[in-house]
């Protein structure tokens, strides 16, 4: 994922932080960028698992706030 500028990077961080239980290190722009990329990778894997027929048939659902990945 390419960020056009640092403002866009911070906007993505703010959006990601709306997920309960998610913590992203915001100590500097590089660490923040890596945290967002890591989160995006985990979110993609969770969505792919949820949308796969096998997982839906097994009753696996969207994570609740108590089960959200950090």
């Amino acid at each position: 994922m390419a960020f056009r500028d640092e403002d866009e990077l911070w906007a993505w961080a703010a959006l990601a932080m709306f997920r309960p239980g998610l913590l992203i290190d915001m100590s500097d722009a590089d660490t923040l960028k890596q945290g967002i990329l890591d989160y995006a990778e985990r979110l993609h894997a969770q969505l792919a698992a949820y949308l796969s027929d096998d997982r839906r048939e097994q009753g696996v659902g969207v994570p609740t706030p108590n089960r959200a990945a950090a």
Side-chain angles (χ1 to χ4, degrees):
M1 172 182 259
F3 299 101
R4 285 175 257 179
D5 57 28
E6 197 167 316
D7 286 338
E8 185 179 23
L9 176 64
W10 289 100
W12 274 102
L15 180 63
M17 296 297 279
F18 278 102
R19 184 166 186 186
L22 178 67
L23 298 174
I24 296 177
D25 185 349
M26 297 181 169
S27 56
D28 60 62
D30 289 335
T31 304
L32 176 61
K33 182 178 179 179
Q34 189 58 52
I36 292 171
L37 293 173
D38 291 346
Y39 168 66
E41 202 173 289
R42 288 192 313 266
L43 183 59
H44 178 265
Q46 289 173 351
L47 286 169
Y50 174 73
L51 294 174
S52 74
D53 290 336
D54 293 339
R55 297 290 297 244
R56 278 189 283 147
E57 290 173 6
Q58 294 174 14
V60 175
V62 175
T64 63
N66 294 335
R67 294 178 25 209

